[in-house]
mmCIF file of all heavy atoms in Angstrom:
data_model
loop_
_atom_site.group_PDB
_atom_site.id
_atom_site.type_symbol
_atom_site.label_atom_id
_atom_site.label_comp_id
_atom_site.label_asym_id
_atom_site.label_seq_id
_atom_site.Cartn_x
_atom_site.Cartn_y
_atom_site.Cartn_z
ATOM 1 N N PHE D 290 60.782 98.576 117.129
ATOM 2 C CA PHE D 290 61.612 98.605 115.929
ATOM 3 C C PHE D 290 60.793 99.156 114.776
ATOM 4 O O PHE D 290 59.743 98.610 114.439
ATOM 5 C CB PHE D 290 62.117 97.195 115.595
ATOM 6 C CG PHE D 290 62.942 97.131 114.329
ATOM 7 C CD1 PHE D 290 64.240 97.617 114.307
ATOM 8 C CD2 PHE D 290 62.406 96.599 113.164
ATOM 9 C CE1 PHE D 290 64.992 97.570 113.154
ATOM 10 C CE2 PHE D 290 63.156 96.541 111.999
ATOM 11 C CZ PHE D 290 64.461 97.038 111.990
ATOM 12 N N GLU D 291 61.236 100.270 114.220
ATOM 13 C CA GLU D 291 60.561 100.934 113.115
ATOM 14 C C GLU D 291 59.077 101.167 113.407
ATOM 15 O O GLU D 291 58.202 100.928 112.564
ATOM 16 C CB GLU D 291 60.748 100.136 111.819
ATOM 17 C CG GLU D 291 62.210 100.085 111.361
ATOM 18 C CD GLU D 291 62.383 99.388 110.039
ATOM 19 O OE1 GLU D 291 61.427 98.707 109.579
ATOM 20 O OE2 GLU D 291 63.479 99.494 109.444
ATOM 21 N N GLY D 292 58.812 101.624 114.622
ATOM 22 C CA GLY D 292 57.455 101.994 114.991
ATOM 23 C C GLY D 292 56.546 100.837 115.368
ATOM 24 O O GLY D 292 55.342 101.043 115.571
ATOM 25 N N ARG D 293 57.113 99.639 115.474
ATOM 26 C CA ARG D 293 56.297 98.478 115.854
ATOM 27 C C ARG D 293 56.848 97.850 117.124
ATOM 28 O O ARG D 293 58.071 97.800 117.328
ATOM 29 C CB ARG D 293 56.278 97.437 114.736
ATOM 30 C CG ARG D 293 55.521 97.882 113.504
ATOM 31 C CD ARG D 293 55.393 96.738 112.511
ATOM 32 N NE ARG D 293 54.626 97.129 111.341
ATOM 33 C CZ ARG D 293 54.314 96.299 110.352
ATOM 34 N NH1 ARG D 293 54.698 95.027 110.398
ATOM 35 N NH2 ARG D 293 53.609 96.731 109.322
ATOM 36 N N LEU D 294 55.924 97.348 117.952
ATOM 37 C CA LEU D 294 56.314 96.682 119.186
ATOM 38 C C LEU D 294 56.546 95.206 118.908
ATOM 39 O O LEU D 294 55.751 94.549 118.232
ATOM 40 C CB LEU D 294 55.221 96.853 120.243
ATOM 41 C CG LEU D 294 55.559 96.312 121.639
ATOM 42 C CD1 LEU D 294 56.688 97.132 122.262
ATOM 43 C CD2 LEU D 294 54.319 96.354 122.530
ATOM 44 N N HIS D 295 57.652 94.673 119.431
ATOM 45 C CA HIS D 295 57.972 93.260 119.278
ATOM 46 C C HIS D 295 58.164 92.625 120.653
ATOM 47 O O HIS D 295 58.692 93.256 121.583
ATOM 48 C CB HIS D 295 59.249 93.092 118.449
ATOM 49 C CG HIS D 295 59.087 93.494 117.018
ATOM 50 N ND1 HIS D 295 58.601 92.638 116.051
ATOM 51 C CD2 HIS D 295 59.339 94.671 116.389
ATOM 52 C CE1 HIS D 295 58.562 93.270 114.888
ATOM 53 N NE2 HIS D 295 59.003 94.504 115.067
ATOM 54 N N ASP D 296 57.720 91.370 120.750
ATOM 55 C CA ASP D 296 57.944 90.608 121.972
ATOM 56 C C ASP D 296 58.361 89.190 121.583
ATOM 57 O O ASP D 296 58.736 88.941 120.439
ATOM 58 C CB ASP D 296 56.702 90.617 122.868
ATOM 59 C CG ASP D 296 55.472 90.038 122.176
ATOM 60 O OD1 ASP D 296 55.607 89.348 121.139
ATOM 61 O OD2 ASP D 296 54.349 90.270 122.676
ATOM 62 N N ARG D 297 58.256 88.258 122.517
ATOM 63 C CA ARG D 297 58.810 86.928 122.254
ATOM 64 C C ARG D 297 58.126 86.199 121.099
ATOM 65 O O ARG D 297 58.736 85.355 120.449
ATOM 66 C CB ARG D 297 58.753 86.065 123.524
ATOM 67 C CG ARG D 297 59.729 86.544 124.568
ATOM 68 C CD ARG D 297 60.023 85.486 125.599
ATOM 69 N NE ARG D 297 60.858 86.003 126.673
ATOM 70 C CZ ARG D 297 61.428 85.242 127.606
ATOM 71 N NH1 ARG D 297 61.238 83.934 127.575
ATOM 72 N NH2 ARG D 297 62.167 85.789 128.545
ATOM 73 N N ALA D 298 56.878 86.514 120.851
ATOM 74 C CA ALA D 298 56.196 85.858 119.732
ATOM 75 C C ALA D 298 56.866 86.223 118.415
ATOM 76 O O ALA D 298 57.136 85.343 117.571
ATOM 77 C CB ALA D 298 54.720 86.257 119.707
ATOM 78 N N SER D 299 57.159 87.499 118.214
ATOM 79 C CA SER D 299 57.832 87.901 116.976
ATOM 80 C C SER D 299 59.321 87.591 117.033
ATOM 81 O O SER D 299 59.926 87.289 115.999
ATOM 82 C CB SER D 299 57.606 89.386 116.684
ATOM 83 O OG SER D 299 58.012 90.196 117.754
ATOM 84 N N TYR D 300 59.929 87.632 118.220
ATOM 85 C CA TYR D 300 61.333 87.248 118.321
ATOM 86 C C TYR D 300 61.527 85.827 117.815
ATOM 87 O O TYR D 300 62.514 85.513 117.150
ATOM 88 C CB TYR D 300 61.823 87.305 119.771
ATOM 89 C CG TYR D 300 61.780 88.659 120.422
ATOM 90 C CD1 TYR D 300 61.806 88.779 121.806
ATOM 91 C CD2 TYR D 300 61.724 89.825 119.658
ATOM 92 C CE1 TYR D 300 61.774 90.018 122.423
ATOM 93 C CE2 TYR D 300 61.687 91.074 120.267
ATOM 94 C CZ TYR D 300 61.700 91.160 121.651
ATOM 95 O OH TYR D 300 61.646 92.389 122.271
ATOM 96 N N ARG D 301 60.601 84.958 118.176
ATOM 97 C CA ARG D 301 60.699 83.552 117.752
ATOM 98 C C ARG D 301 60.687 83.456 116.218
ATOM 99 O O ARG D 301 61.469 82.724 115.623
ATOM 100 C CB ARG D 301 59.536 82.762 118.356
ATOM 101 C CG ARG D 301 59.605 81.255 118.129
ATOM 102 C CD ARG D 301 58.450 80.576 118.836
ATOM 103 N NE ARG D 301 58.502 80.813 120.270
ATOM 104 C CZ ARG D 301 57.504 81.289 120.994
ATOM 105 N NH1 ARG D 301 56.363 81.603 120.407
ATOM 106 N NH2 ARG D 301 57.630 81.458 122.280
ATOM 107 N N PHE D 302 59.795 84.224 115.595
ATOM 108 C CA PHE D 302 59.723 84.212 114.133
ATOM 109 C C PHE D 302 61.045 84.684 113.528
ATOM 110 O O PHE D 302 61.589 84.052 112.618
ATOM 111 C CB PHE D 302 58.583 85.114 113.652
ATOM 112 C CG PHE D 302 58.594 85.345 112.166
ATOM 113 C CD1 PHE D 302 58.025 84.422 111.301
ATOM 114 C CD2 PHE D 302 59.204 86.479 111.624
ATOM 115 C CE1 PHE D 302 58.063 84.630 109.931
ATOM 116 C CE2 PHE D 302 59.230 86.687 110.256
ATOM 117 C CZ PHE D 302 58.660 85.760 109.411
ATOM 118 N N TYR D 303 61.573 85.786 114.027
ATOM 119 C CA TYR D 303 62.792 86.338 113.430
ATOM 120 C C TYR D 303 64.009 85.468 113.725
ATOM 121 O O TYR D 303 64.943 85.407 112.919
ATOM 122 C CB TYR D 303 62.991 87.781 113.888
ATOM 123 C CG TYR D 303 61.984 88.713 113.252
ATOM 124 C CD1 TYR D 303 60.955 89.278 114.006
ATOM 125 C CD2 TYR D 303 62.032 88.976 111.885
ATOM 126 C CE1 TYR D 303 60.018 90.110 113.409
ATOM 127 C CE2 TYR D 303 61.090 89.807 111.287
ATOM 128 C CZ TYR D 303 60.088 90.365 112.049
ATOM 129 O OH TYR D 303 59.161 91.170 111.432
ATOM 130 N N TRP D 304 64.003 84.795 114.857
ATOM 131 C CA TRP D 304 65.080 83.830 115.120
ATOM 132 C C TRP D 304 65.023 82.691 114.098
ATOM 133 O O TRP D 304 66.062 82.223 113.607
ATOM 134 C CB TRP D 304 64.985 83.282 116.543
ATOM 135 C CG TRP D 304 65.973 82.175 116.783
ATOM 136 C CD1 TRP D 304 65.719 80.847 116.936
ATOM 137 C CD2 TRP D 304 67.399 82.310 116.870
ATOM 138 N NE1 TRP D 304 66.876 80.150 117.111
ATOM 139 C CE2 TRP D 304 67.929 81.026 117.073
ATOM 140 C CE3 TRP D 304 68.267 83.402 116.789
ATOM 141 C CZ2 TRP D 304 69.296 80.794 117.213
ATOM 142 C CZ3 TRP D 304 69.642 83.173 116.917
ATOM 143 C CH2 TRP D 304 70.144 81.882 117.125
ATOM 144 N N GLN D 305 63.824 82.258 113.763
ATOM 145 C CA GLN D 305 63.691 81.199 112.764
ATOM 146 C C GLN D 305 64.146 81.657 111.380
ATOM 147 O O GLN D 305 64.666 80.867 110.597
ATOM 148 C CB GLN D 305 62.245 80.698 112.731
ATOM 149 C CG GLN D 305 61.857 79.926 113.985
ATOM 150 C CD GLN D 305 60.368 79.677 114.097
ATOM 151 O OE1 GLN D 305 59.574 80.317 113.423
ATOM 152 N NE2 GLN D 305 59.996 78.758 114.974
ATOM 153 N N VAL D 306 63.967 82.955 111.082
ATOM 154 C CA VAL D 306 64.514 83.499 109.833
ATOM 155 C C VAL D 306 66.029 83.356 109.820
ATOM 156 O O VAL D 306 66.632 82.950 108.805
ATOM 157 C CB VAL D 306 64.105 84.971 109.652
ATOM 158 C CG1 VAL D 306 64.855 85.607 108.480
ATOM 159 C CG2 VAL D 306 62.600 85.085 109.438
ATOM 160 N N LEU D 307 66.666 83.656 110.931
ATOM 161 C CA LEU D 307 68.119 83.526 111.015
ATOM 162 C C LEU D 307 68.548 82.064 110.911
ATOM 163 O O LEU D 307 69.559 81.752 110.259
ATOM 164 C CB LEU D 307 68.629 84.137 112.323
ATOM 165 C CG LEU D 307 68.404 85.639 112.501
ATOM 166 C CD1 LEU D 307 68.913 86.099 113.858
ATOM 167 C CD2 LEU D 307 69.073 86.434 111.380
ATOM 168 N N GLU D 308 67.807 81.191 111.537
ATOM 169 C CA GLU D 308 68.125 79.771 111.414
ATOM 170 C C GLU D 308 68.031 79.315 109.963
ATOM 171 O O GLU D 308 68.893 78.571 109.473
ATOM 172 C CB GLU D 308 67.179 78.943 112.289
ATOM 173 C CG GLU D 308 67.454 79.045 113.765
ATOM 174 C CD GLU D 308 66.569 78.124 114.577
ATOM 175 O OE1 GLU D 308 65.358 78.008 114.262
ATOM 176 O OE2 GLU D 308 67.074 77.506 115.530
ATOM 177 N N ARG D 309 66.980 79.752 109.269
ATOM 178 C CA ARG D 309 66.818 79.372 107.868
ATOM 179 C C ARG D 309 67.950 79.938 107.007
ATOM 180 O O ARG D 309 68.443 79.287 106.085
ATOM 181 C CB ARG D 309 65.457 79.840 107.360
ATOM 182 C CG ARG D 309 65.167 79.519 105.898
ATOM 183 C CD ARG D 309 65.243 78.023 105.607
ATOM 184 N NE ARG D 309 64.500 77.260 106.567
ATOM 185 C CZ ARG D 309 63.176 77.109 106.521
ATOM 186 N NH1 ARG D 309 62.482 77.659 105.552
ATOM 187 N NH2 ARG D 309 62.567 76.399 107.437
ATOM 188 N N ALA D 310 68.369 81.155 107.316
ATOM 189 C CA ALA D 310 69.485 81.750 106.585
ATOM 190 C C ALA D 310 70.748 80.909 106.767
ATOM 191 O O ALA D 310 71.495 80.658 105.812
ATOM 192 C CB ALA D 310 69.723 83.185 107.062
ATOM 193 N N HIS D 311 70.983 80.463 107.984
ATOM 194 C CA HIS D 311 72.155 79.625 108.254
ATOM 195 C C HIS D 311 72.048 78.292 107.523
ATOM 196 O O HIS D 311 73.033 77.813 106.933
ATOM 197 C CB HIS D 311 72.285 79.396 109.757
ATOM 198 C CG HIS D 311 73.425 78.504 110.133
ATOM 199 N ND1 HIS D 311 74.738 78.872 109.962
ATOM 200 C CD2 HIS D 311 73.448 77.248 110.661
ATOM 201 C CE1 HIS D 311 75.533 77.891 110.372
ATOM 202 N NE2 HIS D 311 74.772 76.903 110.800
ATOM 203 N N GLN D 312 70.858 77.703 107.528
ATOM 204 C CA GLN D 312 70.658 76.411 106.869
ATOM 205 C C GLN D 312 70.847 76.480 105.358
ATOM 206 O O GLN D 312 71.140 75.468 104.715
ATOM 207 C CB GLN D 312 69.246 75.880 107.160
ATOM 208 C CG GLN D 312 68.983 75.508 108.603
ATOM 209 C CD GLN D 312 67.494 75.484 108.898
ATOM 210 O OE1 GLN D 312 66.664 75.447 108.003
ATOM 211 N NE2 GLN D 312 67.153 75.529 110.176
ATOM 212 N N THR D 313 70.668 77.644 104.786
ATOM 213 C CA THR D 313 70.789 77.802 103.339
ATOM 214 C C THR D 313 72.087 78.489 102.938
ATOM 215 O O THR D 313 72.251 78.901 101.790
ATOM 216 C CB THR D 313 69.595 78.603 102.785
ATOM 217 O OG1 THR D 313 69.422 79.805 103.544
ATOM 218 C CG2 THR D 313 68.320 77.778 102.857
ATOM 219 N N GLY D 314 73.015 78.602 103.870
ATOM 220 C CA GLY D 314 74.337 79.111 103.544
ATOM 221 C C GLY D 314 74.435 80.606 103.384
ATOM 222 O O GLY D 314 75.425 81.105 102.832
ATOM 223 N N ARG D 315 73.442 81.360 103.855
ATOM 224 C CA ARG D 315 73.499 82.808 103.750
ATOM 225 C C ARG D 315 74.499 83.374 104.780
ATOM 226 O O ARG D 315 74.659 82.835 105.873
ATOM 227 C CB ARG D 315 72.118 83.419 103.993
ATOM 228 C CG ARG D 315 71.113 83.143 102.886
ATOM 229 C CD ARG D 315 71.544 83.848 101.610
ATOM 230 N NE ARG D 315 70.510 83.838 100.594
ATOM 231 C CZ ARG D 315 70.456 82.969 99.579
ATOM 232 N NH1 ARG D 315 71.395 82.046 99.454
ATOM 233 N NH2 ARG D 315 69.497 83.039 98.675
ATOM 234 N N THR D 316 75.137 84.467 104.405
ATOM 235 C CA THR D 316 76.053 85.139 105.326
ATOM 236 C C THR D 316 75.250 85.924 106.349
ATOM 237 O O THR D 316 74.396 86.739 105.995
ATOM 238 C CB THR D 316 76.990 86.091 104.567
ATOM 239 O OG1 THR D 316 77.756 85.324 103.626
ATOM 240 C CG2 THR D 316 77.932 86.803 105.522
ATOM 241 N N LEU D 317 75.525 85.681 107.613
ATOM 242 C CA LEU D 317 74.793 86.346 108.689
ATOM 243 C C LEU D 317 75.546 87.578 109.161
ATOM 244 O O LEU D 317 76.784 87.589 109.194
ATOM 245 C CB LEU D 317 74.606 85.386 109.861
ATOM 246 C CG LEU D 317 73.688 84.186 109.610
ATOM 247 C CD1 LEU D 317 73.805 83.194 110.751
ATOM 248 C CD2 LEU D 317 72.254 84.638 109.449
#
Side-chain angles (χ1 to χ4, degrees):
F290 178 74
E291 295 184 346
R293 291 187 178 183
L294 186 67
H295 292 275
D296 59 16
R297 290 199 186 190
S299 56
Y300 298 161
R301 187 177 299 127
F302 170 83
Y303 288 109
W304 173 251
Q305 290 168 343
V306 171
L307 297 178
E308 287 185 319
R309 179 58 48 80
H311 178 67
Q312 293 159 16
T313 50
R315 290 294 191 262
T316 300
L317 293 169

